[in-house]
Amino acid sequence: MSTSGQINGQYRGTRGELFPLAISVALLTFVTLGIYRFWGKTRIRKYIWSSTVGDGDAFEYTGTGLEKFLGFLVAIVALAIYLGVVQMLLFFLGLSYSVDLETPQGILALNALIYINLFALLPLIFYAMYRARRYKMARTRWRGVRFGMEKGAWGFAARAIGYGLLTLVSFGALFPLGNFKLEKYMADRSYFGDARFEQGGKWTALYGAAKHVFIGLGVLIAGVAIGGAAQSEALMGIAALVGYIWLMVGFVYYRVHSFRYMAENRRLGDQITFTATPTTGEVIKIYIIGALIMAVVVAVLVFIGGLLFGAAMSMAGIGNMGLVGVLGVVLYLIALVLLGAMTLVFITQPTIAHFITNFTVHNADALNDIQQRAMETGVDAEGFADALDIGGAI
């Protein structure tokens, strides 16, 4: 245990180790038509978790690819039944996909069906988000002690929909409220061993973190409106560009500063507190440098691919254009594999490392009093998150 009573986060992962791992995972995922992704995601998580260190002890990820795959199969069956019931209800209401698309009424009915199905999936999407976080908590250990999270996925889904509607009717003004309340809902149900996390603070404090989001939206809307009134396409274009860039930077600023505020107002047990000091500038720099590296690599690949493609076309002749098409598909898949691996190595990992190395645990001596937590039950291994494609890379 740290003699100073605090633990500073460390990240020991390297690009040289992660890049070949990411490439092999992507290739095996393509070869197996996507089936290997459950095992691949597990391998990447194990690497990132084991590279995260506090007080000399690395985190451990104990999830398996098999349980993720089985969870996915169960979720697919459940989704098929759920959507089947939704379609039956729509059919009884006189709505079906057998509409005449050559009429305005048919097009309107088809759009209505699409949006109804999307809204019908919203509860499951939020349910999956909570279950995915609970699974990762249940499969994470540090110093041999398990993290955990109570059941509460449907409660989270109901709250997420409610706060989403509040954000919508307030034209976005209340989105910090939803963000804070939903994060508090999850944090207050989380544990490390037998010690419970508790999220403090006030949701109104997040308006400071959100200021650049609102400014960016204001510049975008006001600039376009003024440009439209003045009938100036140039002014509208400049306002749209400035507003969009400001908005994107604002979202990064919000994510960074809301993370800092939530961490600094979170407590574990009665004594353990946290501070976080990531910076917006560093995160933006990571994204810019990563994007530039990826752009250079893509440009080189396009140049080499163009040369190979041209040579193949000249050598194959008219009768063998199918081989040229195969070469084009292969080059496209190679580009996708490299882009996915480079995103993980040059953007995702440095961003994770920045947040971890700027995270501190205070009153760490109290960790010695925490006892082991019982094994979680009823954890579905992110099946719905994978089925709904909201699991992300890690």
Side-chain angles (χ1 to χ4, degrees):
M1 180 61 60
S2 173
T3 57
S4 65
Q6 70 178 37
I7 297 175
N8 298 313
Q10 294 178 293
Y11 187 80
R12 297 177 179 176
T14 66
R15 294 173 179 174
E17 292 176 341
L18 184 58
F19 188 72
L21 173 60
I23 288 289
S24 65
V25 165
L27 287 174
L28 287 170
T29 300
F30 274 119
V31 170
T32 60
L33 302 179
I35 295 177
Y36 186 76
R37 69 190 177 102
F38 306 102
W39 286 265
K41 185 182 290 187
T42 298
R43 289 176 61 192
I44 290 172
R45 281 183 182 171
K46 285 181 179 292
Y47 176 79
I48 292 176
W49 264 241
S50 65
S51 299
T52 303
V53 178
D55 198 33
D57 294 305
F59 280 70
E60 180 185 3
Y61 179 73
T62 62
T64 68
L66 179 60
E67 64 183 7
K68 285 179 62 61
F69 177 63
L70 295 177
F72 170 77
L73 294 180
V74 172
I76 286 293
V77 174
L79 278 173
I81 295 173
Y82 175 77
L83 290 176
V85 171
V86 171
Q87 297 310 311
M88 289 179 60
L89 292 174
L90 292 175
F91 178 77
F92 283 119
L93 292 174
L95 295 172
S96 69
Y97 283 98
S98 57
V99 295
D100 186 2
L101 297 180
E102 295 183 358
T103 65
Q105 294 82 359
I107 295 174
L108 183 62
L110 180 62
N111 288 330
L113 282 168
I114 292 173
Y115 282 109
I116 289 173
N117 279 282
L118 288 175
F119 285 124
L121 282 175
L122 276 179
L124 287 182
I125 291 174
F126 294 126
Y127 172 87
M129 290 170 61
Y130 187 94
R131 296 282 288 192
R133 179 156 164 172
R134 182 171 180 241
Y135 172 74
K136 282 182 282 190
M137 293 281 285
R139 296 297 182 266
T140 298
R141 294 182 183 183
W142 182 55
R143 305 196 314 171
V145 179
R146 280 186 291 269
F147 286 82
M149 195 171 181
E150 295 176 352
K151 296 179 180 179
W154 286 120
F156 178 83
R159 286 166 173 79
I161 292 172
Y163 289 124
L165 290 174
L166 280 177
T167 300
L168 187 64
V169 299
S170 67
F171 298 100
L174 290 178
F175 90 87
L177 169 64
N179 183 208
F180 179 88
K181 292 294 186 180
L182 291 176
E183 184 60 33
K184 178 175 173 58
Y185 181 86
M186 291 189 287
D188 290 351
R189 285 160 177 77
S190 301
Y191 290 82
F192 175 60
D194 61 354
R196 181 194 288 267
F197 287 92
E198 182 181 355
Q199 181 64 59
K202 298 180 179 180
W203 69 270
T204 51
L206 292 185
Y207 276 108
K211 61 185 178 183
H212 289 291
V213 174
F214 292 120
I215 292 173
L217 279 173
V219 170
L220 184 63
I221 295 171
V224 171
I226 294 172
Q231 297 184 344
S232 172
E233 293 184 1
L235 181 57
M236 289 179 64
I238 293 173
L241 178 61
V242 172
Y244 177 77
I245 294 174
W246 202 321
L247 187 61
M248 293 302 100
V249 172
F251 277 120
V252 176
Y253 184 91
Y254 178 77
R255 292 296 299 272
V256 170
H257 285 265
S258 63
F259 176 84
R260 293 175 61 160
Y261 179 79
M262 300 295 278
E264 291 165 3
N265 287 276
R266 187 168 298 180
R267 181 182 298 273
L268 175 62
D270 296 326
Q271 304 177 52
I272 302 167
T273 58
F274 312 93
T275 55
T277 57
T279 63
T280 305
E282 184 63 25
V283 173
I284 292 175
K285 184 176 76 172
I286 290 170
Y287 272 81
I288 291 175
I289 293 175
L292 288 175
I293 292 173
M294 292 169 64
V296 171
V297 173
V298 168
V300 172
L301 286 176
V302 169
F303 177 74
I304 296 174
L307 293 178
L308 292 174
F309 202 72
M313 289 186 66
S314 62
M315 293 173 61
I318 300 298
N320 295 313
M321 292 304 292
L323 295 175
V324 177
V326 171
L327 176 61
V329 172
V330 170
L331 291 173
Y332 175 73
L333 293 178
I334 291 173
L336 283 182
V337 168
L338 286 174
L339 280 174
M342 287 190 297
T343 300
L344 182 61
V345 171
F346 293 110
I347 295 179
T348 305
Q349 180 172 248
T351 303
I352 291 173
H354 177 61
F355 276 80
I356 290 172
T357 55
N358 286 278
F359 192 87
T360 303
V361 180
H362 300 279
N363 301 319
D365 293 334
L367 290 168
N368 293 323
D369 299 326
I370 294 176
Q371 303 298 313
Q372 179 63 285
R373 179 173 174 80
M375 180 73 72
E376 292 283 350
T377 59
V379 181
D380 70 354
E382 300 176 298
F384 282 97
D386 286 313
L388 294 167
D389 196 25
I390 61 172
I394 57 172

